[in-house]
Amino acid sequence: MHRILRINLTERQAAIEPLPATYRSLGGRGLTARIISDEVPPTCDPLGTQNKLVFAAGLCAGTSVPNSGRLSVGAKSPLTGTIKESNAGGSVAQKIARLGFRAVIVEGAAKEPVTVKIDRDGIRFESAAALAGRGNYQVIELLKNECGPGVGIVSIGQAGEMRLKAAAISVTTPDFHVRVAARGGLGALMGAKGLKALVLDDAGCEAVPVADPERLKVAVQAFTRGVLSHPLIGGLKAFGTPILVNMMDAMGTIVTKNYSQGRFAGAEQISGEHMAEIVAQRPNAKPSHACMRGCVIQCSNIYTDPAGELVVAGIEYETVALMGSNCLIDDLDAIAAMNRACNDFGLDTMDVGGALAVAMEAGLLAWGDAAAAVQLVAEIGAGSERGRMIGNGVKHTGEALGVTRIPHVKGQCLSGYDPRGLKGTGVTYATATMGADHTCGNALPSPANPGYDPAASSGQAPVSQFLQRYFAAVDSLGICLFAMVPPLDMPELQQHLVACVAAIVGEELGSDYLLELGGAVVKVEKAFNDAAGFTSADDRLPDFFSTEALPETGQIFDVATDELDSVHAD
Ligand code: SF4
């Protein structure tokens, strides 16, 4: 796993390089950040040939560490103009690791759409003419039939080919469901490069080398046992991430009607609990599903229609909140249909959901009109003018329609947690190096931390700073964040994980390893953004969060700007 594969699409050439010594301790987001920082001019056109697309496996990928197969995709973002890392589950990161690579760097641009196939015998460039214009589901089916059931596929749909700013990158699971590196418009960059798909086949490859297998075995057992003992895990298995719907609604922090309310009258209808009831009644549906090998949590689900036909696997809280409560839509089947369309066209459901809500605020369609919303999402794939507008995300749509209340930071739509009641998350939205992104540090209350008040007006920056560094480390190891929530409440699990990493790399690591790693990653990202022209003025939430109180709780976002600026001060 000490090699980099560099693919030049302009020249149709590939080169295998040793991993530079300075990159040896890096994986996932840490590695994409360093490569982008070292090789991409910060002020370049994000869709130009100077930008590069980096696919990196985490440091733990391909080992027995549970939930460690997240694939990091890095670039300068076409959506935000900042540095970006977007990650997804699936089987591809584990295959990159087994093929002996830490990262695949894609440079240049192909004149015609191309598919790149990677296996232990080499790298092949093939015309993607037969795949061009097709959605991810067809592309995956065709490539699976052609290349066999053991491959992993990275692909874009029509949105990426159209270079829409909310375009995402699809990654297959071992059973060929779709997971998505959704945020930051990285699918648009893949489209600009003319790369329709990457196919990775690790057949015949050796296992990923581990320096101390016995130590890893002991540490993995302790880590896994601890994660599975946390009360959150049972809820995630039973109800998936939509278990958060009722929780956020009860707190008055579920995003509702374009972030104008904090409770949704239809919350029960779109809750994880109701979804579980639907799933229990439908043929071929499943309440839990693993998006990667080695997942011990299985928070995903398989959602089918009443006849048992697959709609989507799986539905996540963010999709439910942005396309449901935020649009006043209380119909899970309609949300699932939009989710499927977004997966097929290759789109971020959050930015599309945010765009639908601002379009409703502008009067383009009525609040809660599920049929009109489904139709508008279908138009994105067809490339209509309205569809392209929505597919360019919430900021573009809001500006095009003259809406002043646009819920974005640095061009990226906020997630499903209202920052007025969850102010630590609000600090993360404002100051994260890649635009509003809850996965950078979502500060939710926990029974294990009763002293933390998520609605307090001060003291949120240290919480956000800690979480931003912690999850930057998690993303660098390639571990799913749901496996890393229990260690926040049970710090001994962090040390079991550090022991896992130490066993893999064969070095002793200090007890501060995670925060030191994550802090260094955030610093590299921040320096890139500074060089790209971003300032503290960009680290702010839209004004309306400070001037419009949530009607149910009276809360506004009132964390001082000095406190926001302190996140990156040391
Ligand atoms: S917990 Fe969920 S997101 Fe994480 S690896 Fe498992 S199925 Fe994937």
Side-chain angles (χ1 to χ4, degrees), residues 67 70 179 289-292 295 297-300 316 480 482:
N67 297 53
R70 300 288 293 187
R179 304 301 285 189
H289 174 254
C291 79
M292 65 175 71
C295 168
I297 301 173
Q298 306 194 359
C299 81
S300 192
E316 303 284 354
C480 165
F482 299 119

Side-chain angles (χ1 to χ4, degrees), residues 283-347:
N284 307 321
K286 286 189 184 169
S288 62
H289 174 254
C291 79
M292 65 175 71
R293 287 203 174 87
C295 168
V296 296
I297 301 173
Q298 306 194 359
C299 81
S300 192
N301 45 68
I302 295 180
Y303 194 92
T304 62
D305 68 14
E309 283 296 313
L310 173 71
V311 181
V312 68
I315 302 180
E316 303 284 354
Y317 169 73
E318 301 303 330
T319 303
V320 171
L322 270 298
M323 296 186 145
S325 55
N326 198 42
C327 296
L328 299 189
I329 290 173
D330 64 359
D331 178 346
L332 270 177
D333 281 336
I335 293 167
M338 289 189 278
N339 193 342
R340 182 182 176 86
C342 284
N343 285 4
D344 198 27
F345 305 148
L347 285 158

Side-chain angles (χ1 to χ4, degrees), residues 11-36:
E11 307 294 336
R12 283 197 166 218
Q13 287 180 349
I16 294 173
E17 303 169 357
L19 194 68
T22 49
Y23 291 180
R24 280 286 169 102
S25 60
L26 297 174
R29 176 174 163 186
L31 186 54
T32 65
R34 278 294 298 274
I35 293 171
I36 296 301

